[in-house]
Amino acid sequence: MKNRKSFFRIVSIMLVAVLALVGCSSSNDSGNDKEKSSEDQVTVDIFQFKVEIKDQFEDLVKVYEDENPGVKINVKTVGGGNDYGGTLKAAFASGDEPAIFNVGGPSDVEEYRAYLADLADTAAAEAALDGTLTAVQEDAKVLGLPFNQEGYGLIYNKNVFEEAGINVEDIVTFEDLQNVVETLDKQKEELGLDAVFALPAKELWVLGDHISNMFIAPEFNNDIQEAYHAETIALEKGDELKRYLDLQNKYSVQPILSLDYSQQVEQLFSLEKVAMIQQGNWVYNSVYDMDPDFAENGIGILSVPVEGFEGHIPAGVPMFWAVNDKKDDKVVQASKDFLDWLYTSETGKNAVLEDFKFIPAYKDYDAEKISDPLSKQIYEFAEVGKTIEGWVYQATPTGWNQETLGVNIQKYLSGDMEWDEVISKSIEKWEAERQ
Amino acid sequence: MRNRDISFWLFLAPVILSLSLVIMIPFLYGFVYSFTNWNGINATEFLGFKNYINLFKDAEFRASIWFTTKFAIVSVILLNFLGLGLALLVTQRMRTSNFMRTIFFMPNLIGGLILGFIWQFIFISVFGSIGELLGIEALTGWLSTTATGFWGLVILTSWQMAGYIMVIYIAYLENIPKDLLEAAEIDGASSFQKFKNIIFPLVAPAFTVSMFLTLSNSFQIYDQNLSLTNGGPYNSTQMVAMSIVKTAFTENKMAYAQSQAVIFFIIVAAVAVTNVYYNKKREVDM
């Protein structure tokens, strides 16, 4: 009898434990979907990569939700190219797939093809500027919508240049740049500078993606698709790349290998400790947060001298919005509607220009409203056709730019690898990956 | 052990169930995947041992194993040394000993990511400024070379975990019978003799426990590695866990990363089991 009593006690304890487990797990699923969908509520999960616009984007989403009571939008932001790709993959692998997510170019498209909805019928795809869709176009299908345009180059401190008596118009060729850098270096005491450059060699995306891209893209005629199908790479402009890296390294704040993006932009450039940094228009918000006056009046962008492309700025579409085709039809439609609204409605357009400070990749925008000087300048470069298009690092073998080329460049900068080896090892890896 | 009736298994059931759901089954899945070309979304081909064969040719993976091993050896020694030292310190009759216990244990409560960023600031900015001020070259440029990255990681983990190990040693130290120590004192033993002949043998079980903990912990470090150096410069301070994550997500080779993980599991399990086996043998029974 006694045994029996304790047996029942055990069983009842176990039952409670199991119930608790089951109770926890099921509350997520049944709660949202079944009850709310009966009231025509649609939930759209957005997973986006641009940390710079996180708050502004969330505010805009609230406006949309107010205008469309039936739609609930959840925004999740994970920043930095590298982290985003990994987190997105993890989200898909775990079955927690977002309805709207970002893809970078042909490699990403290939990987997520089964999930990508055709967006050719959206108003936004209609309005996209010529050439901004090539990376995600397949026959008549449009598998993504451009985020914005971005451009990068050497961002310089106007005040310092003025004080040193340098006219930016004069900087065209590499030799010009070299002379200017030497002039600045001689006067760095009087100008209050730590060094001329801040080269964030800790960031593989700066070395492997941005710097390298300028010297790789011309080899593929600035065409993403061509790079994506290339069996090999010659790194024809390798010497130019080396020359440019050496210049930045020599005149940079040291040690470069532990220098990261935030130190470069916030600590060094915004506080006017360096004269030039190689970055893009996305730094504007960070500089603005540190020193609004400097951001508005004190900075400009210069083109990096690449032989044959002097005076050109690399500009292109960094990322695309993709809609998850495997979601419910209603969710897919709601996602498309939201993206259309974002890029073609008046409210959306204003936000894109004024709050996100984007350089639009769509027609019918009022260029006068581009509020920050860097974007405006890049837009001007684009207007006169002085851009290097094709961000081919989105089309190289996965991970090649950062994990192979970027890492090898780091080895070179720290003196552990000869430049010849950087070139040959990087080519080898490309060929091995494309077999 | 004797009466494994139904209630025994019923008691065990919830644990076995959850353990197999979150550990055993994923582990077996992963093991199977390591023989395929799984890319995270689907697997189309069965490759046999190809992933494992490639693994042995992979210099970067070997480098990360070697780096992790070096790190583990140094930090196991340092952590046990520090842990025992701190424990001896705070078990002295002092007014501040309780306060000090709290202080020493505190770093353990901060997450590894945050710790990494805090120490990154200390190594780069604080060390850098001090080095510049005093003209000490060695203090500038931390984390920009492999050696400073290595020692940065060692300092960070020692600082974080020493307090935890201390707690384990304290528990054993306080269990040492007072009469033994008293008897030794009457016989005229010096403090070093007391430590060598009484205290050290009697805290040996603590050594087993904390050596196992520190060993398995230093092998599996990821978050501190990520936030402090992110593997840089040029992936030379990349530990195995980080190498696996990078292979899987950045290079998009899920199955290959899975085979790395299997090898890693075998290494850690072998090291941990041997270590416990030998330490157990050494222990003195009272």
Side-chain angles (χ1 to χ4, degrees):
Chain A
M1 202 55 195
K2 211 179 175 190
N3 246 336
R4 186 159 247 188
K5 219 173 188 178
S6 61
F7 177 73
F8 278 118
R9 200 173 289 158
I10 290 162
V11 171
S12 53
I13 290 171
M14 296 242 342
L15 264 177
V16 172
V18 169
L19 277 179
L21 273 176
V22 173
C24 291
S25 64
S26 63
S27 63
N28 295 348
D29 313 290
S30 54
N32 302 352
D33 291 58
K34 284 178 190 158
E35 284 162 38
K36 282 180 189 161
S37 64
S38 59
E39 298 161 25
D40 279 336
Q41 180 89 8
V42 181
T43 306
V44 178
D45 294 311
I46 299 182
F47 187 37
Q48 68 103 15
F49 85 109
K50 243 186 178 329
V51 268
E52 294 92 335
I53 60 158
K54 180 176 179 288
D55 296 338
Q56 294 91 328
F57 190 69
E58 279 165 11
D59 290 344
L60 184 68
V61 161
K62 271 188 211 112
V63 176
Y64 186 75
E65 283 176 337
D66 289 342
E67 283 181 22
N68 302 271
V71 185
K72 169 94 185 73
I73 297 180
N74 301 318
V75 183
K76 200 168 138 195
T77 305
V78 171
N82 198 4
D83 300 332
Y84 180 81
T87 322
L88 179 66
K89 189 97 195 226
F92 271 89
S94 70
D96 182 23
E97 304 156 15
I100 299 180
F101 57 99
N102 305 149
V103 289
S107 319
D108 277 0
V109 167
E110 180 69 44
E111 198 168 311
Y112 290 102
R113 171 157 301 134
Y115 294 93
L116 300 178
D118 183 9
L119 304 174
D121 57 342
T122 57
E126 194 71 25
L129 289 175
D130 288 343
T132 53
L133 289 174
T134 41
V136 288
Q137 226 161 5
E138 274 175 6
D139 306 324
K141 278 188 184 168
V142 176
L143 300 175
L145 294 171
F147 237 88
N148 60 339
Q149 291 202 78
E150 285 187 341
Y152 61 90
L154 288 166
I155 297 177
Y156 65 95
N157 184 327
K158 281 185 181 167
N159 310 328
V160 166
F161 270 50
E162 211 168 286
E163 246 179 89
I166 295 164
N167 187 1
V168 285
E169 313 275 299
D170 297 341
I171 307 173
V172 182
T173 63
F174 185 79
E175 284 69 31
D176 297 340
L177 180 67
Q178 211 164 8
N179 290 336
V180 164
V181 170
E182 276 160 17
T183 320
L184 284 167
D185 190 59
K186 271 181 211 137
Q187 307 178 37
K188 68 180 179 189
E189 302 269 302
E190 298 98 82
L191 298 169
L193 299 176
D194 284 357
V196 180
F197 287 110
L199 174 63
K202 189 184 183 189
E203 306 288 1
L204 289 172
W205 57 273
V206 173
L207 298 177
D209 290 350
H210 287 171
I211 294 185
S212 306
N213 188 60
M214 294 183 284
F215 301 96
I216 292 175
E219 199 173 319
F220 299 110
N221 301 315
N222 300 321
D223 183 348
I224 293 187
Q225 295 290 353
E226 196 176 320
Y228 185 61
H229 293 107
E231 300 260 304
T232 183
I233 182 168
L235 287 169
E236 291 160 0
K237 286 181 174 285
D239 291 339
E240 269 186 73
L241 172 59
K242 174 178 183 289
R243 191 172 69 166
Y244 177 61
L245 279 169
D246 287 343
L247 181 74
Q248 281 211 43
N249 184 18
K250 188 174 170 195
Y251 295 102
S252 169
V253 173
Q254 300 289 341
I256 49 171
L257 285 170
S258 59
L259 192 70
D260 64 16
Y261 174 72
S262 76
Q263 277 177 287
Q264 179 200 27
V265 175
E266 287 161 18
Q267 279 182 33
L268 295 168
F269 187 71
S270 298
L271 298 179
E272 308 196 42
K273 298 276 186 205
V274 294
M276 277 186 267
I277 54 171
Q278 190 208 297
Q279 277 303 344
N281 56 298
W282 52 85
V283 302
Y284 176 79
N285 284 341
S286 303
V287 180
Y288 187 87
D289 287 341
M290 300 282 294
D291 187 344
D293 183 54
F294 179 52
E296 271 165 31
N297 306 310
I299 57 180
I301 194 163
L302 266 175
S303 106
V304 177
V306 177
E307 271 169 33
F309 296 91
E310 283 92 350
H312 285 62
I313 286 254
V317 178
M319 280 292 231
F320 297 84
W321 293 105
V323 172
N324 189 343
D325 207 21
K326 298 246 162 121
K327 289 273 173 186
D328 209 50
D329 285 345
K330 249 194 244 163
V331 177
V332 172
Q333 194 51 50
S335 306
K336 287 181 180 175
D337 291 344
F338 172 73
L339 291 175
D340 272 347
W341 179 83
L342 175 62
Y343 286 112
T344 57
S345 76
E346 279 312 310
T347 328
K349 279 185 187 173
N350 274 335
V352 166
L353 278 180
E354 286 168 30
D355 298 337
F356 301 174
K357 316 233 189 279
F358 276 179
I359 308 168
Y362 297 90
K363 286 175 214 154
D364 300 328
Y365 275 76
D366 185 359
E368 277 304 301
K369 278 191 185 162
I370 299 179
S371 46
D372 82 82
L374 295 179
S375 301
K376 203 174 255 172
Q377 244 185 306
I378 291 165
Y379 192 79
E380 282 161 12
F381 273 99
E383 251 183 343
V384 291
K386 291 216 158 191
T387 53
I388 304 179
E389 272 177 36
W391 291 33
V392 297
Y393 62 79
Q394 294 159 342
T396 57
T398 313
W400 182 83
N401 268 83
Q402 293 190 17
E403 290 301 314
T404 305
L405 187 59
V407 164
N408 286 343
I409 290 177
Q410 277 188 340
K411 283 187 189 163
Y412 167 71
L413 291 173
S414 72
D416 283 3
M417 199 185 244
E418 292 298 316
W419 184 255
D420 296 344
E421 232 181 314
V422 173
I423 300 281
S424 61
K425 291 224 160 146
S426 305
I427 294 174
E428 239 169 66
K429 180 83 176 175
W430 178 299
E431 286 170 355
E433 294 284 314
R434 281 282 155 89
Q435 261 172 15
Chain B
M1 285 293 148
R2 271 139 285 160
N3 46 356
R4 286 189 176 170
D5 55 8
I6 184 152
S7 63
F8 173 84
W9 290 110
L10 275 174
F11 247 126
L12 228 53
V15 180
I16 291 184
L17 190 79
S18 40
L19 200 68
S20 51
L21 272 179
V22 295
I23 295 183
M24 303 295 199
I25 296 175
F27 182 80
L28 290 176
Y29 259 95
F31 190 67
V32 173
Y33 276 136
S34 72
F35 293 102
T36 65
N37 68 345
W38 188 50
N39 68 354
I41 297 171
N42 49 36
T44 52
E45 219 181 311
F46 187 79
L47 296 175
F49 282 97
K50 204 173 154 215
N51 281 331
Y52 290 92
I53 293 165
N54 288 340
L55 202 59
F56 286 104
K57 296 183 202 150
D58 189 338
E60 200 179 302
F61 182 64
R62 278 200 312 254
S64 70
I65 288 194
W66 177 228
F67 184 82
T68 315
T69 313
K70 275 194 296 186
F71 172 80
I73 293 170
V74 174
S75 52
V76 164
I77 296 171
L78 210 61
L79 271 171
N80 283 290
F81 189 72
L82 281 174
L84 184 57
L86 291 178
L88 285 171
L89 189 73
V90 298
T91 45
Q92 306 295 319
R93 254 183 247 111
M94 277 191 302
R95 204 171 295 161
T96 50
S97 73
N98 269 337
F99 176 69
M100 287 202 312
R101 285 182 199 200
T102 320
I103 294 293
F104 292 143
F105 187 71
M106 235 144 70
N108 201 54
L109 302 173
I110 312 174
L113 270 181
I114 303 294
L115 269 186
F117 287 123
I118 294 172
W119 275 93
Q120 192 184 53
F121 172 76
I122 295 175
F123 284 134
I124 296 177
S125 302
V126 179
F127 274 34
S129 313
I130 294 174
E132 237 164 75
L133 218 64
L134 303 178
I136 306 171
E137 189 98 347
L139 285 180
T140 56
W142 270 72
L143 305 186
S144 67
T145 62
T146 312
T148 52
F150 176 80
W151 288 108
L153 279 164
V154 169
I155 292 172
L156 166 63
T157 33
S158 307
W159 189 72
Q160 182 185 17
M161 254 194 103
Y164 187 76
I165 301 304
M166 173 193 78
V167 172
I168 296 170
Y169 279 113
I170 289 176
Y172 282 86
L173 278 175
E174 289 189 334
N175 268 336
I176 295 175
K178 293 280 176 295
D179 43 353
L180 273 179
L181 291 169
E182 240 165 68
E185 223 156 288
I186 291 166
D187 288 344
S190 69
S191 3
F192 177 72
Q193 279 171 323
K194 270 195 289 178
F195 177 76
K196 193 183 146 233
N197 296 319
I198 300 172
I199 299 179
F200 192 70
L202 286 180
V203 294
F207 187 68
T208 313
V209 175
S210 54
M211 186 151 162
F212 172 75
L213 277 175
T214 46
L215 202 65
S216 57
N217 238 314
S218 6
F219 264 107
Q220 293 168 35
I221 277 184
Y222 174 71
D223 38 3
Q224 291 90 335
N225 194 192
L226 179 78
S227 56
L228 192 71
T229 64
N230 196 11
Y234 51 86
N235 291 352
S236 62
T237 62
Q238 182 171 283
M239 295 209 197
V240 185
M242 200 170 155
S243 158
I244 293 171
V245 173
K246 264 201 183 164
T247 315
F249 293 105
T250 313
E251 293 179 36
N252 197 21
K253 295 174 185 156
M254 291 282 176
Y256 186 54
Q258 190 60 51
S259 65
Q260 292 186 345
V262 170
I263 296 289
F264 183 43
F265 167 77
I266 292 170
I267 294 174
V268 175
V271 171
V273 169
T274 351
N275 152 47
V276 170
Y277 177 76
Y278 278 105
N279 273 328
K280 271 274 175 219
K281 266 186 153 179
R282 241 176 12 85
E283 279 171 20
V284 198
D285 267 326
M286 266 207 299

